[in-house]
Amino acid sequence: MIKRPRRLRGNENLRKMVRETRVDKSSLIYPIFVKDGTGIREEIFSMEGQYRYSVDQLPHGLEEVMKAGVSSVMLFGIPAHKDDRASQAYDQNGVIQRALREAKKTFPELYYITDVCLCEYTSHGHCGMLCGHEVDNDSTLKVLAGTALSHAEAGADMVAPSDMMDGRVAAIRKRLDENDFSEIPIMSYAVKYASGFYAPFRDAADSAPAFGNRRSYQMDYHNSREGIKEVLLDEEEGADIIMVKPALSYLDVVVKVREATNLPVAAYSVSGEYAMIKAAAGKGWIDEKSIVCETAVAVFRAGVQSYLTYYAKELAGYMDEGLIG
Ligand code: PBG
């Protein structure tokens, strides 16, 4: 035999030398939940090991992120008051706006991305303004743009719209530019599927829709070419980074998106992906560490530059240990 693939697998140094996928802590983004109130650090029932923090407790959560060597976070807000106008989404004293001011003061070296959506702030739990029982696209754009602007004013380094309204990237870009925030990048949740994998998040953020579902705005998971349509539109509208979400069940989409755009591509391993691993590991049926490493590398192998995951802190540790790298 002349060709023996095993020749390159016989030594650890050699295996690492010829590795095709390299991972680095600087690619990781950790999602974190901030809730109205004080003195709160409560574990999320369906997301063991993840917490909701009140603004005063948030620095403790951020300190852990820093210590792990993760340098970027994605903030989600859980307001005490929800209404049909999502008024807390764009209030200068809303939970995210206060969280940003506090976080920038205590840990200015971290990079702060904010989720821009209305579902956590509306009494009905939909991601936009309602007209009857329909989510009205165009009246929602103004509200999203105002929300993104209020985040930028409070110190957000980047905004990430996740609502899936048509034209929202353009609306946000325009509003930011008109207010001297032309340097704030937009990470678009461009290819976001209507997914059962978000269930634990909706429990965490108390944002399940009171009626119906999100299929009239989030994408049908039978489609991937439609994802490319969304990517190209968002790129034209001024998106700086394209996200695919969820991650694991959509790695084929990541591969296609990467070919279709020259923008950086991110993927988000969502709450359900986290919960599945936690639950099976808790039962002793899988080894958490090895599954977390294997799934994370799979996402990078598909071609992302950035990876949002609730396992970001652990992953950074596994990289330090040399389990992946
Ligand atoms: C807000 C939003 C959701 C997630 C991120 N931003 C929930 C949804 O669309 O229902 C899901 C994140 C996760 O499941 O971890 N629209």
Side-chain angles (χ1 to χ4, degrees), residues 252-265:
D252 59 320
V253 178
V254 170
V255 173
K256 287 188 187 160
V257 165
R258 201 191 134 97
E259 283 164 9
T261 181
N262 290 322
L263 298 182
V265 178

Side-chain angles (χ1 to χ4, degrees), residues 194-232:
S195 169
F197 285 100
Y198 308 147
F201 173 96
R202 291 178 191 170
D203 166 40
D206 186 23
S207 64
F211 61 87
N213 53 55
R214 304 210 201 289
R215 279 182 233 135
S216 75
Y217 39 105
Q218 299 179 346
M219 281 179 51
D220 177 352
Y221 57 69
H222 296 76
N223 303 341
S224 64
R225 291 169 67 240
E226 187 188 5
I228 306 304
K229 179 169 89 181
E230 289 281 4
V231 168
L232 298 179

